[in-house]
Amino acid sequence: MKDYKTFLKLFMDSWKNLEGEKTCELMASKLKYYENPIDEPCLTLEQVKPLWAVVKENQKDISYSGKILFEDDNSCIYHFKMKRTMVKTNVTQLIDGVFEIKLNAKGKLTYFKQWRFVKEV
């Protein structure tokens, strides 16, 4: 069984700590990465890196909780809740979301799709 729990802890902590480079280190060089479920996916790590490079510039004060809803050796469904503040507007957001992820044999992310609801508070 792939270690989704460890992967998700590293993934979410790197996001929380505004370490986009560390987040990207968890990904395979070729993957399907859906930032939004209805958009075309990024297909390489080089396409994903700009998405994570701006996190440090536009988010702060991140906290989160999460729970694995389903996992097998092929995929994992993760439910998370996050609170963050957007730097430019100083608006706090609450996020309720779900990731579907897949890892390769080396534990690197090969598939990422997220659905999320964002509410400003």
Side-chain angles (χ1 to χ4, degrees):
M1 181 75 83
K2 295 181 177 132
D3 191 357
Y4 293 108
K5 182 177 179 181
T6 298
F7 173 87
L8 286 161
K9 173 92 170 109
L10 293 169
F11 184 88
M12 296 302 288
D13 282 352
S14 63
W15 187 357
K16 174 185 173 187
N17 296 326
L18 306 172
E19 299 170 323
E21 289 180 18
K22 281 189 178 182
T23 308
C24 290
E25 289 172 5
L26 300 169
M27 300 178 195
S29 60
K30 294 188 179 188
L31 70 164
K32 279 192 177 180
Y33 186 100
Y34 293 85
E35 179 74 8
N36 180 320
I38 61 172
D39 291 341
E40 290 296 314
C42 296
L43 299 176
T44 68
L45 180 55
E46 293 308 311
Q47 291 175 327
V48 174
K49 283 181 179 181
L51 301 174
W52 286 97
V54 298
V55 169
K56 185 186 312 185
E57 300 165 15
N58 66 17
Q59 301 175 29
K60 65 180 182 177
D61 303 328
I62 297 172
S63 61
Y64 76 91
S65 62
K67 178 181 178 181
I68 293 175
L69 301 177
F70 169 82
E71 67 179 304
D72 64 15
D73 204 41
N74 295 316
S75 64
C76 174
I77 305 295
Y78 179 71
H79 175 235
F80 73 99
K81 293 187 178 204
M82 178 177 281
K83 182 178 181 182
R84 68 182 181 188
T85 301
M86 302 309 292
V87 171
K88 291 179 183 176
T89 61
N90 210 37
V91 171
T92 299
Q93 295 179 334
L94 300 178
I95 301 171
D96 192 338
V98 174
F99 300 148
E100 177 185 6
I101 63 170
K102 296 179 183 183
L103 305 176
N104 65 18
K106 295 180 181 179
K108 297 283 189 175
L109 185 71
T110 59
Y111 183 89
F112 176 88
K113 195 172 212 178
Q114 72 175 327
W115 297 263
R116 63 183 175 183
F117 176 79
V118 180
K119 177 181 177 182
E120 293 184 353
V121 292

